[in-house]
Amino acid sequence: MHEMSLCEGVVQLIEDQAAMQQFTRVKTVWLEIGALAGVETEAMHFSFDAVAKGTLADGARLEIINIAGRAICPACERQVELFARFDGCPECGHYPLELIAGDEMRIKELEVQ
């Protein structure tokens, strides 16, 4: 379950920011996770709760913002929604497409004290 290591990275980034910005508690974490990132959101919730125990994020609420997969077709030059990484263009059938969104994971916002 790689979600556990992803959450460890998130908590480490939060702790780094706490040291720089001098906050002592995190109440809410908003994560943007792309539909093509290969991340299970339920596993993220479970892992975050486990990894955050005993840290300044202990008890924080994890909010996940889902980002749709988007790509540009080099043949018809349309921007299309992508549901699987290796799908062809739904407009013209061309393959491969240029992925422009949906494989990312980032901390969007923190609510801190």
Side-chain angles (χ1 to χ4, degrees):
M1 175 166 41
H2 76 283
E3 286 81 2
M4 188 70 75
S5 62
L6 291 172
C7 286
E8 288 171 347
V10 167
V11 169
Q12 182 62 55
L13 287 170
I14 290 170
E15 289 177 343
D16 292 347
Q17 287 302 305
M20 290 172 44
Q21 298 183 33
Q22 300 179 352
F23 56 85
T24 59
R25 186 172 174 304
V26 176
K27 295 170 68 175
T28 310
V29 177
W30 283 271
L31 289 182
E32 289 183 331
I33 300 178
L36 307 174
V39 177
E40 292 291 330
T41 56
E42 289 304 312
M44 283 297 286
H45 283 285
F46 172 80
S47 298
F48 182 78
D49 289 342
V51 169
K53 291 252 186 274
T55 71
L56 62 116
D58 195 350
R61 189 177 74 228
L62 178 63
E63 296 288 336
I64 295 178
I65 302 162
N66 296 304
I67 305 296
R70 306 259 342 135
I72 294 177
C73 176
C76 68
E77 299 181 347
R78 294 192 180 167
Q79 190 177 119
V80 296
E81 189 166 359
L82 197 59
F83 298 99
R85 186 175 290 274
F86 299 109
D87 282 351
C89 178
E91 300 293 327
C92 72
H94 181 81
Y95 175 86
L97 302 177
E98 182 184 328
L99 184 66
I100 57 173
D103 65 344
E104 66 270 28
M105 184 182 120
R106 67 178 150 251
I107 298 172
K108 175 151 177 73
E109 188 174 341
L110 298 173
E111 180 182 7
V112 301
Q113 284 182 321

